C-alpha cells in the first residue's frame, strides 16, 4: 500500500552504531505496512510453493472476493489513481479478485484487484509498496499516467496465459507509460514464480524465484539480492536499468558488480522502525533470527508529530532472500505466519511492547497461494483467502482458476459500507450473512478485549483452520481425479460455497458467543468458545466442508440463513437451517466495458470461459444491500480536515495515507 511520507529522515546511519536503548529524534516513522512472503517448494513439507501478502490499511476496511468475467477485445483497463489506460487487443481472461468497496473509489467497482487467479492458472498478489532513493527519484521520477497498484492485478490476470507473459507485459507497459509507484508484485503459474519490482519511473526488474529460498519483505525497497542481469532465463529487466543510473551518477556496486537494490533502494536509515520490526519478527518466525545487539537493536523514535514509536533498527541492510531454520513448512504454518505478532521476540512483542507487527490490527485482507508445480494449471494453485486481519481470522480454500460462481456469504460490492464505521459492535450486528463483516467484527473485538477473548478465540480459529486444511485434502483428491474442465468447474464452485458456508456458520456462532460474553460483563474467567474441545484443541462438532462439496445429491450451501442468538456464551443456540433466497437477477449490461463505475459486464466467450454467476442483486432472504453508498468516504477520512478529495491531485494525498 502507499506510504506516509517519512519525517526528517536521517541521511546516514553507521553500520557500527551502538543503539542501546536509543531515542532517535528524527528518522523515518511508520510508513509502509504490507508484508510479502515466499517459501520455495524445497522448503515445504508437501513440496508445494507458497507465496502471499497481508494488505494493511486500517482496522475496519471492507474487502470483497469476486470473479471478473471475460471481456471481448477492446476492453480498456483504467485507474482512479492515475491517468493510466490500457486497451486489450484480445478476449480477456476470467479471474478472481479481492477488491475495495466502490464507495471508497468514487463508485468504481474495479479498484485494486489485490489477489487472484485467472482461468489459465496465472496467479498474482499485488502489491507490496516499496520506495526509491532521492537520486533515483530525481533521475527517473514516477509518472502521472503510469500503471500503479490500482491496476496491476487486473491487467496481469486479465491478459496473461503464463507468468512470464505477465512479467513481459507489465515491463512493456512501464517502458511505454511509466510506473505510478514503487511496487513489488509476485506473479506465478504452475511452473514459475516471479518477483517483479518497479524500481523507478521507467526502470524495472523481474527475478524468477528459486525453489530453495525463503523471502520476507515488509515494504523495504533496499533489501539486498544478487542477480545476473544477463541471465534472461531467470531475470528480465528494463533496458536502462544499469545505464540510466550510471549516466546520472548514482550507480552503486558491490565487489565490482552493479548492485540493483543498493542503486535504487533507500538506505537503512531511510526505512522506518515499523518495517524493520516486522522484518525481525518474520525472521524469528521462520527460525532464522537476527541477533539483538549485533544485527539490530530496539529504538524509540520521536517524530515531530504524533506519539513516540518503538521498534527495531538494523545495523546494516538485510537480505531479501534467506534460509529458514527448517525445510518442512506446512500450510497451517504459512497461513499463521501472517498473524505473527512477534510473540517470541523479547521487546518486539506487539501484544505487550507496543510495537507494530506483521499481524497488525490494520490488516484488511491476507492472501496465500499454494502452488503444486507441474500440475494441470486449472487445479495447480489453491487460493487461501482471509478477508480480515490474519491474527484473528480463517483462510478459506478456493480453486479460483475454475470458479464461475461466488458464495453469497462473500458480501458483494453493493453491501452497505456503514458497518465499517460502527463503534459499538457488541450491540450492533453486522449485515446479515456476511463472512466479510463477521471476520472483521471477530478481529475488532479480540483487539479491543485481547486479555479476555484473545487466547480462546485464537485457539478456536486454529481448530477451524486445521479442519479446513485437512478436509481440503479430501476435496483435492476428488479434484485431481476429475479430468474434465466442466466437472472441475462444478466441483470448484460447489467446494467454494461449502467451505465458505461452513466457515461462516462457525464464525457467526463464535461471534454471537463473544458478544454475549461481553454483554454479561463477567470477566472472572477468560472466554472459551462452547464448540472448542479444550483437551484436544479441536472442534467439538466438526465442519462438513468435504461432505458438502463431494455430496452426490445437490446441496445448497450458498443459500444463507441467520444463526440463532445464543442464550449464554456456554450454550449457544444451534444455527437455523439456511433459508432459500430468490435467485439473484442477472447484472445489467454496461454500454461500454471500459466504464468502471458500473458493475462488471456479462463475460464474453473465450476458449475455456463459462458464464460467471454472482450475487449481484439483493433478493428477499439473500444478501442485504441496505444503506446508501458513501462515495469518497475514505478519501474524505484521510484528507486534511475531512475535506472530500475528488481531484487527481487530492487523490494522491489519500493514497499516501493508505498504509
Amino acid at each position: 500500500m502507499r506510504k506516509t511520507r517519512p519525517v526528517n529522515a536521517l541521511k546516514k546511519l553507521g553500520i557500527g552504531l551502538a543503539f542501546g536503548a536509543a531515542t532517535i529524534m528524527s528518522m523515518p516513522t511508520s510508513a509502509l505496512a504490507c508484508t510479502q512472503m515466499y517459501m520455495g517448494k524445497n522448503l515445504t513439507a508437501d513440496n508445494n510453493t507458497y507465496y502471499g501478502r497481508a494488505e494493511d490499511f486500517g482496522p475496519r476496511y471492507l474487502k470483497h472476493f469476486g470473479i471478473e468475467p471475460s471481456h471481448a477485445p477492446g476492453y480498456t483497463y483504467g485507474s482512479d489513481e492515475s491517468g493510466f489506460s490500457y486497451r486489450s487487443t484480445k478476449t480477456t481472461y476470467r479471474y478472481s479478485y479481492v477488491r475495495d468497496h466502490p464507495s471508497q473509489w468514487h463508485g468504481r467497482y474495479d479498484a485494486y484487484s489485490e489477489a487472484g487467479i485467472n482461468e489459465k492458472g496465472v496467479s498474482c498478489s499485488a502489491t507490496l509498496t516499496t520506495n526509491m532513493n532521492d537520486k533515483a527519484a530525481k533521475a527517473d521520477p514516477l509518472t502521472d499516467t503510469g500503471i500503479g497498484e490500482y491496476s496491476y492485478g487486473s491487467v496481469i490476470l486479465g491478459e496473461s496465459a503464463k507468468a512470464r507473459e505477465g512479467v513481459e507485459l507489465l515491463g512493456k507497459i512501464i517502458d511505454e507509460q511509466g510506473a505510478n509507484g514503487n511496487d513489488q508484485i509476485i506473479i506465478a503459474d504452475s511452473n514459475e514464480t516471479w518477483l517483479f519490482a518497479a524500481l523507478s519511473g521507467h526502470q524495472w526488474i523481474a527475478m524468477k524465484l528459486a525453489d530453495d529460498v525463503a523471502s520476507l519483505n515488509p515494504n523495504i525497497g533496499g533489501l539486498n539480492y544478487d542477480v545476473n542481469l544477463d541471465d534472461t532465463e531467470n531475470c528480465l529487466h528494463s533496458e536502462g536499468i544499469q545505464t540510466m543510473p550510471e549516466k546520472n551518477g548514482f550507480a552503486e556496486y558491490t565487489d565490482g558488480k552493479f548492485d540493483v537494490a543498493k542503486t535504487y533502494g533507500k538506505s537503512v536509515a531511510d526505512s522506518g522502525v515499523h518495517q524493520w520490526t516486522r522484518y525481525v519478527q518474520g525472521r524469528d518466525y521462520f527460525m532464522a533470527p537476527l541477533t539483538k545487539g549485533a544485527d539490530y537493536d530496539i529504538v524509540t523514535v520521536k517524530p515531530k508529530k504524533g506519539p513516540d514509536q518503538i521498534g527495531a533498527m538494523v545495523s546494516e541492510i538485510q537480505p531479501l532472500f534467506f534460509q529458514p531454520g527448517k525445510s518442512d513448512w506446512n500450510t497451517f504454518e504459512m497461513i499463521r505466519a501472517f498473524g505473527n505478532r512477534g510473540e517470541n521476540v523479547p521487546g518486539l512483542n506487539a501484544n505487550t511492547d507496543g510495537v507494530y507487527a506483521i499481524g497488525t490490527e490494520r490488516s484488511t485482507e491476507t492472501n496465500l497461494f499454494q502452488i503444486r508445480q507441474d500440475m494441470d494449471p486449472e487445479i495447480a494453485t489453491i487460493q487461501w483467502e482471509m478477508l480480515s486481519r490474519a491474527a484473528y481470522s480463517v483462510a478459506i480454500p478456493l480453486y479460483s482458476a475454475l470458479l464461475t460462481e461466488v458464495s453469497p456469504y462473500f458480501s458483494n460490492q453493493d453491501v452497505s459500507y456503514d458497518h465499517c464505521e460502527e463503534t459499538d459492535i457488541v450491540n450492533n450486528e453486522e449485515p446479515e450473512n456476511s463472512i466479510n463483516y463477521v471476520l472483521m467484527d471477530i478481529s475488532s473485538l479480540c483487539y479491543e478485549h485481547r486479555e479476555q477473548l484473545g487466547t480462546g478465540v485464537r485457539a478456536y480459529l486454529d481448530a477451524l483452520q486445521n479442519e479446513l486444511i485437512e478436509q481440503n485434502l479430501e476435496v483435492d483428491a476428488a479434484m485431481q481425479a476429475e479430468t474434465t474442465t466442466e466437472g472441475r468447474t462444478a466441483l470448484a464452485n460447489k467446494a467454494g460455497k461449502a467451505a465458505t458456508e461452513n466457515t461462516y456458520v462457525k464464525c457467526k456462532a463464535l461471534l454471537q458467543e463473544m458478544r454475549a460474553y461481553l454483554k454479561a460483563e463477567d470477566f472472572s474467567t477468560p472466554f472459551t468458545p462452547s464448540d472448542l474441545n479444550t483437551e484436544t484443541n479441536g472442534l467439538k462438532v466438526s465442519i462438513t466442508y468435504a461432505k458438502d462439496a463431494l455430496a452426490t445429491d445437490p446441496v445448497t450451501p450458498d443459500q444463507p440463513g441467520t444463526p440463532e442468538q445464543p442464550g449464554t456464551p456456554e450454550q449457544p443456540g444451534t444455527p437455523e437451517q439456511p433459508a432459500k433466497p430468490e435467485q439473484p437477477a442477472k447484472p445489467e449490461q454496461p454500454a461500454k466495458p471500459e466504464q468502471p463505475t458500473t458493475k462488471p459486464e456479462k463475460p464474453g466467450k473465450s476458449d475455456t470461459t463459462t458464464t460467471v454467476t454472482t450475487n449481484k442483486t439483493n433478493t428477499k432472504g439473500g444478501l442485504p444491500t441496505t444503506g446508501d453508498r458513501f462515495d469518497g468516504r475514505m478519501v474524505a477520512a484521510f484528507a486534511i480536515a475531512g475535506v472530500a478529495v475528488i481531484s487527481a491531485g487530492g487523490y494522491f494525498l489519500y493514497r499516501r495515507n493508505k498504509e
Side-chain angles (χ1 to χ4, degrees):
M1 307 305 296
R2 293 286 177 260
K3 62 177 286 185
T4 300
R5 187 176 297 278
V7 180
N8 295 329
L10 290 178
K11 297 303 180 184
K12 294 183 181 293
L13 182 64
I15 291 178
L17 180 62
F19 293 104
T23 298
I24 299 179
M25 300 303 294
S26 63
M27 69 182 304
T29 58
S30 68
L32 313 174
C34 297
T35 305
Q36 177 178 276
M37 300 182 192
Y38 167 82
M39 188 68 68
K41 70 182 186 69
N42 294 353
L43 302 174
T44 64
D46 53 17
N47 202 37
N48 295 166
T49 295
Y50 290 85
Y51 80 88
R53 183 182 58 93
E55 177 196 349
D56 299 354
F57 176 27
R60 296 180 64 79
Y61 189 75
L62 190 61
K63 304 294 292 191
H64 301 275
F65 177 82
I67 304 295
E68 179 70 20
S70 172
H71 297 283
Y75 179 78
T76 298
Y77 302 90
S79 175
D80 199 32
E81 69 178 357
S82 73
F84 169 74
S85 178
Y86 179 79
R87 186 176 178 85
S88 178
T89 60
K90 63 183 182 182
T91 300
T92 68
Y93 300 122
R94 181 193 68 243
Y95 60 88
S96 66
Y97 61 72
V98 179
R99 288 179 178 163
D100 288 9
H101 193 274
S103 66
Q104 309 309 298
W105 293 96
H106 306 105
R108 293 183 63 147
Y109 285 77
D110 63 342
Y112 280 59
S113 298
E114 298 279 348
I117 311 174
N118 72 15
E119 62 185 273
K120 294 296 185 180
V122 175
S123 61
C124 84
S125 180
T127 66
L128 180 86
T129 305
T130 56
N131 45 44
M132 58 179 164
N133 58 52
D134 292 341
K135 293 180 179 179
K138 182 178 179 180
D140 186 24
L142 301 174
T143 72
D144 293 336
T145 58
I147 189 171
E149 188 172 6
Y150 189 102
S151 309
Y152 282 128
S154 295
V155 173
I156 292 166
L157 295 176
E159 298 293 311
S160 309
K162 298 287 184 181
R164 184 180 287 261
E165 285 184 19
V167 168
E168 293 172 341
L169 174 60
L170 190 50
K172 181 176 183 292
I173 289 173
I174 292 178
D175 288 341
E176 297 174 352
Q177 300 189 47
N180 186 242
N182 299 112
D183 298 292
Q184 288 188 8
I185 305 105
I186 295 183
I187 310 170
D189 57 30
S190 58
N191 296 311
E192 298 180 338
T193 302
W194 289 80
L195 176 61
F196 186 103
L199 302 170
S200 63
H202 296 86
Q203 306 306 323
W204 57 273
I205 189 171
M207 298 171 285
K208 186 161 66 173
L209 300 182
D211 294 330
D212 59 353
V213 300
S215 181
L216 167 76
N217 193 341
N219 307 107
I220 302 173
L223 294 178
N224 60 44
Y225 50 88
D226 184 21
V227 61
N228 181 0
L229 295 179
D230 296 324
D231 181 6
T232 56
E233 175 62 28
N234 297 293
C235 178
L236 300 173
H237 56 80
S238 53
E239 183 177 352
I241 190 172
Q242 181 172 346
T243 57
M244 188 276 289
E246 288 177 339
K247 180 180 178 181
N248 287 277
F250 67 95
E252 296 284 349
Y253 302 85
T254 298
D255 297 329
K257 182 180 180 180
F258 178 68
D259 190 321
V260 177
K262 191 174 181 181
T263 295
Y264 289 93
K266 290 193 172 184
S267 66
V268 168
D270 285 327
S271 297
V273 294
H274 285 355
Q275 286 94 303
W276 289 119
T277 296
R278 286 179 285 137
Y279 187 85
V280 173
Q281 292 169 340
R283 287 287 298 267
D284 179 83
Y285 182 90
F286 288 118
M287 301 181 183
L290 303 185
T291 302
K292 182 181 177 183
D295 299 318
Y296 75 96
D297 216 321
I298 299 174
V299 302
T300 299
V301 176
K302 288 186 172 293
K304 286 187 175 181
K305 296 182 180 180
D308 292 355
Q309 296 181 357
I310 303 171
M313 180 54 61
V314 296
S315 58
E316 61 181 346
I317 204 71
Q318 296 296 311
L320 178 60
F321 305 107
F322 63 93
Q323 288 296 314
K326 66 174 188 174
S327 57
D328 60 349
W329 296 94
N330 61 41
T331 306
F332 178 82
E333 291 170 327
M334 292 304 300
I335 291 172
R336 294 302 311 132
F338 290 102
N340 172 27
R341 292 179 56 79
E343 291 90 343
N344 298 318
V345 185
L348 295 178
N349 182 344
N351 295 334
T352 58
D353 300 322
V355 300
Y356 206 82
I358 293 172
T360 174
E361 58 268 33
R362 294 184 61 80
S363 288
T364 62
E365 67 95 11
T366 299
N367 50 80
L368 179 72
F369 295 94
Q370 177 185 359
I371 306 174
R372 289 81 64 82
Q373 289 194 6
D374 300 322
M375 191 177 288
D376 189 319
E378 287 186 339
I379 61 173
T381 305
I382 301 171
Q383 180 175 352
W384 295 88
E385 186 60 46
M386 288 180 273
L387 291 184
S388 188
R389 292 152 276 187
Y392 298 103
S393 191
V394 180
I396 298 174
L398 300 160
Y399 291 87
S400 298
L402 292 160
L403 286 180
T404 59
E405 301 172 5
V406 177
S407 168
Y409 286 102
F410 282 124
S411 291
N412 69 18
Q413 289 176 287
D414 287 325
V415 70
S416 172
Y417 192 82
D418 290 0
H419 193 65
C420 290
E421 299 175 347
E422 180 59 63
T423 57
D424 182 8
I425 56 178
V426 174
N427 296 298
N428 293 281
E429 294 196 13
E430 73 290 342
E432 188 179 13
N433 304 315
S434 172
I435 188 66
N436 317 50
Y437 274 128
V438 164
L439 292 175
M440 181 188 293
D441 285 357
I442 287 173
S443 293
S444 292
L445 292 179
C446 284
Y447 279 108
E448 293 169 9
H449 306 278
R450 187 186 308 278
E451 184 176 349
Q452 294 82 17
L453 299 175
T455 300
V457 171
R458 186 62 261 167
Y460 185 78
L461 295 176
D462 284 349
L464 176 56
Q465 187 69 77
N466 276 317
E467 286 211 358
L468 283 166
I469 293 170
E470 184 65 27
Q471 292 194 23
N472 196 65
L473 295 176
E474 186 177 351
V475 174
D476 192 64
M479 184 66 76
Q480 292 188 45
E482 176 59 56
T483 59
T484 68
T485 297
E486 181 180 9
R488 288 172 174 174
T489 298
L491 179 55
N493 288 332
K494 195 173 180 182
K497 293 174 183 179
T500 307
E501 185 198 26
N502 273 265
T503 302
Y504 171 81
V505 170
K506 289 290 189 182
C507 289
K508 176 60 178 179
L510 171 66
L511 179 56
Q512 290 173 316
E513 290 190 15
M514 293 166 66
R515 285 178 168 139
Y517 173 85
L518 293 173
K519 288 177 182 179
E521 297 184 346
D522 179 6
F523 305 139
S524 57
T525 58
F527 172 74
T528 301
S530 63
D531 190 35
L532 177 65
N533 186 325
T534 55
E535 294 182 359
T536 65
N537 287 324
L539 302 181
K540 290 182 179 179
V541 180
S542 292
I543 60 174
T544 58
Y545 161 43
K547 179 181 178 182
D548 296 341
L550 302 177
T552 302
D553 295 329
V555 295
T556 55
D558 56 331
Q559 306 300 312
T562 304
E564 297 176 354
Q565 294 292 332
T568 65
E570 292 78 17
Q571 295 180 342
T574 302
E576 297 177 355
Q577 292 298 315
K580 295 184 178 181
E582 298 175 7
Q583 292 300 315
K586 296 181 179 179
E588 297 180 359
Q589 299 291 331
K592 297 181 180 180
E594 56 267 30
Q595 297 298 322
T597 55
T598 61
K599 301 175 189 178
E601 66 175 21
K602 186 175 180 181
K605 297 295 183 179
S606 66
D607 53 345
T608 59
T609 301
T610 55
T611 300
V612 177
T613 302
T614 55
N615 50 309
K616 292 295 184 183
T617 303
N618 183 42
T619 56
K620 184 178 179 181
L623 290 175
T625 58
T626 57
D628 297 329
R629 291 195 202 116
F630 285 69
D631 295 345
R633 177 178 296 135
M634 191 56 68
V635 178
F638 279 84
I640 297 174
V643 178
V645 179
I646 57 175
S647 67
Y651 163 74
F652 282 111
L653 175 61
Y654 157 68
R655 288 306 298 158
R656 290 192 181 102
N657 282 305
K658 191 172 185 184
E659 295 181 3

